[in-house]
Amino acid sequence: MRDRQPLGRDYQLMVSALADVTRRRDAALDDAELAYQDSAARAAGELARAESDALAADRWAGAAAAQVLDVDREASRLWDQLRRARGLRVRALGEVPEPASVEAMPRVALQRRPEPGEDVVAPGRQSPRVLLSRAADRIDVTIRPAGHGLLPRWALLLLPFAGAAGAALTSLVAAGLVTFGDSAEWGGPIIRGLGWLTFAVAPSAGVPVAAHLTHSRLRARLEIGGIGLTLLGGMVAATLLSLSFATTR
């Protein structure tokens, strides 16, 4: 009996140690299982987010490609319309310019993929469609002004006075040049020649101003009749001012 007691104690110690190892193994397995499940859940979440981002990027790329096609088509249409405009030399315009290469553009000019709810156009930049619509409005105003080029009657009555005002201002400048040339110690003949040349162009000085005002304000075109009325008023005013200036010399 005395010989069996130490063996019994050793057996109990071994059984206790085995049970402790078993508990630690089960705890380690439980921790490993929880860690695996957490890692799998995080990986599944990251994969879902990556797939969502990829779908959003595909949609954005498709919208951007469609916008590029629309912008190119509208630019070609406006270019052809501008080439068919009267008074513009087609050879000077040539074909539609090629777009700038992506490699040649600065890195800041390349647009990033926008966030959900964010506009495709970067802040501070105008949309290409807005710019093209503005260019189309300008071309329409230049080629087909409102009113079909017909001035109202009240504007026709004002054209001689506009021509007279332009001729009067130009004649005053010409008189000042001639007077200054008489007293100038150096370059007097050249200044007087410029003054008399200004007297020569004074009758037609109001025509560009009248054409600009009729185009910008009335959306009409200054026709031959309107040019004649403007020149008539300018010739009368320039003649009177020239005669008065000549009599005083």
Side-chain angles (χ1 to χ4, degrees):
M1 294 297 293
R2 289 194 299 268
D3 295 335
R4 292 180 180 180
Q5 288 179 357
L7 181 61
R9 287 195 298 269
D10 293 339
Y11 178 75
Q12 290 177 357
L13 293 174
M14 292 174 60
V15 170
S16 177
L18 180 61
D20 185 51
V21 170
T22 303
R23 285 194 301 270
R24 285 184 296 185
R25 184 203 62 178
D26 293 339
L29 288 176
D30 293 338
D31 293 340
E33 183 67 22
L34 290 176
Y36 172 76
Q37 292 178 359
D38 293 340
S39 299
R42 285 196 297 269
E46 293 293 336
L47 180 60
R49 282 192 294 270
E51 291 178 352
S52 177
D53 292 340
L55 291 176
D58 290 339
R59 287 194 297 268
W60 180 80
Q67 184 179 9
V68 168
L69 293 177
D70 293 340
V71 169
D72 290 343
R73 191 181 300 111
E74 182 67 14
S76 300
R77 186 188 69 81
L78 293 178
W79 193 269
D80 293 337
Q81 184 179 1
L82 186 61
R83 291 180 62 181
R84 291 193 300 268
R86 294 184 301 174
L88 295 177
R89 290 180 291 181
V90 177
R91 293 181 180 179
L93 290 177
E95 299 296 332
V96 181
E98 293 293 334
S101 177
V102 177
E103 289 78 8
M105 298 177 64
R107 188 174 297 273
V108 294
L110 300 178
Q111 297 182 1
R112 59 175 176 84
R113 184 178 66 84
E115 298 296 333
E118 185 180 356
D119 193 3
V120 176
V121 181
R125 298 182 182 178
Q126 292 182 339
S127 173
R129 295 180 180 179
V130 175
L131 298 176
L132 288 177
S133 63
R134 188 179 304 171
D137 294 338
R138 284 190 171 184
I139 292 175
D140 291 337
V141 169
T142 303
I143 298 176
R144 294 185 297 272
H148 305 287
L150 298 178
L151 285 174
R153 294 183 178 180
W154 61 268
L156 293 175
L157 297 177
L158 295 178
L159 288 178
F161 296 98
L169 292 176
T170 308
S171 299
L172 291 177
V173 173
L177 289 174
V178 173
T179 304
F180 180 75
D182 291 337
S183 59
E185 297 181 356
W186 182 83
I190 298 176
I191 298 176
R192 286 195 302 272
L194 291 176
W196 292 114
L197 183 61
T198 307
F199 269 121
V201 300
S204 60
V207 175
V209 179
H212 175 71
L213 291 178
T214 54
H215 177 75
S216 60
R217 299 296 182 179
L218 303 178
R219 294 292 187 268
R221 186 179 291 108
L222 189 64
E223 301 292 345
I224 300 298
I227 294 175
L229 291 175
T230 308
L231 285 175
L232 179 62
M235 291 175 63
V236 172
T239 301
L240 294 177
L241 289 175
S242 299
L243 291 177
S244 63
F245 179 72
T247 55
T248 56
R249 291 179 58 82

